Amino acid sequence: MDKHIYDEKNGLGYTLYGDYYLLDLEFPEDEEAHYGKYGILRKTYLKEHGKPYYQMLMLQGKLNKHLNRVDREAYERVEVLVMQMAEKQGVTEQLKAEQPMLWVRKMNGIRTTAEEMVLTEIVYG
């Protein structure tokens, strides 16, 4: 018996293990994972609520690429929203110098609101 065989009909290779030929499966290479908070949240969300999509990304070798992209987009979007909302609400460097505790309180509220928006739109969307 040959150790490796190739089926011309379906284009698949098989390897002999004991008495059985098993399909040669190779997972495509995925890019390196360097995602942070939002990528981790997205991964957890997909595992729990989007299992078919999660499995498809894994099998195609695109999971880390997807999570890296979501993480990057979410961080960028939060920063843009924080800047826009701070400008609109008049939270300036002058306020920071004159009333630092008020500035911190307002910025914390703005950041929380921005993160909620990003979680809804990008991470859990």
Side-chain angles (χ1 to χ4, degrees), residues 78 81-82 85 109-119:
V78 165
L81 286 171
V82 166
M85 292 166 71
I110 289 170
R111 181 162 291 282
T112 300
T113 303
E115 283 192 347
E116 287 176 7
M117 292 169 66
V118 165
L119 289 173

Side-chain angles (χ1 to χ4, degrees), residues 8-43:
E8 297 289 334
K9 293 178 189 173
N10 62 18
L12 299 174
Y14 299 86
T15 302
L16 182 64
Y17 292 96
D19 294 336
Y20 302 98
Y21 281 102
L22 301 177
L23 181 62
D24 294 332
L25 292 176
E26 291 183 26
F27 291 105
E29 290 293 317
D30 200 355
E31 72 180 47
E32 187 175 325
H34 55 270
Y35 51 86
K37 171 184 175 179
Y38 299 112
I40 293 169
L41 290 172
R42 176 69 174 173
K43 184 177 183 179

Side-chain angles (χ1 to χ4, degrees), residues 1 4 11 15 18 27 30 32 41 49 52-53 59 61 66 74 82 86 89 91 96 103 121:
M1 291 182 132
H4 300 284
T15 302
F27 291 105
D30 200 355
E32 187 175 325
L41 290 172
H49 303 288
Y53 187 60
L59 291 173
H66 173 76
V82 166
Q89 293 181 24
V91 181
K96 183 178 179 180
W103 181 86
E121 293 172 10

Side-chain angles (χ1 to χ4, degrees), residues 13-112:
Y14 299 86
T15 302
L16 182 64
Y17 292 96
D19 294 336
Y20 302 98
Y21 281 102
L22 301 177
L23 181 62
D24 294 332
L25 292 176
E26 291 183 26
F27 291 105
E29 290 293 317
D30 200 355
E31 72 180 47
E32 187 175 325
H34 55 270
Y35 51 86
K37 171 184 175 179
Y38 299 112
I40 293 169
L41 290 172
R42 176 69 174 173
K43 184 177 183 179
T44 303
Y45 173 77
L46 289 176
K47 278 183 172 180
E48 293 174 3
H49 303 288
K51 206 159 195 85
Y53 187 60
Y54 175 80
Q55 290 173 347
M56 181 194 69
L57 289 171
M58 264 185 47
L59 291 173
Q60 292 178 348
K62 296 179 181 178
L63 180 62
N64 287 341
K65 182 178 181 180
H66 173 76
L67 296 175
N68 289 337
R69 182 182 53 79
V70 166
D71 189 66
R72 185 179 59 252
E73 286 178 9
Y75 273 110
E76 290 171 0
R77 186 74 176 129
V78 165
E79 292 307 312
V80 168
L81 286 171
V82 166
M83 288 187 331
Q84 289 174 347
M85 292 166 71
E87 183 179 325
K88 194 169 191 172
Q89 293 181 24
V91 181
T92 62
E93 291 298 316
Q94 182 179 354
L95 179 63
K96 183 178 179 180
E98 294 172 359
Q99 298 179 350
M101 293 306 291
L102 177 61
W103 181 86
V104 168
R105 192 168 51 247
K106 286 188 174 208
M107 287 303 289
N108 283 343
I110 289 170
R111 181 162 291 282
T112 300

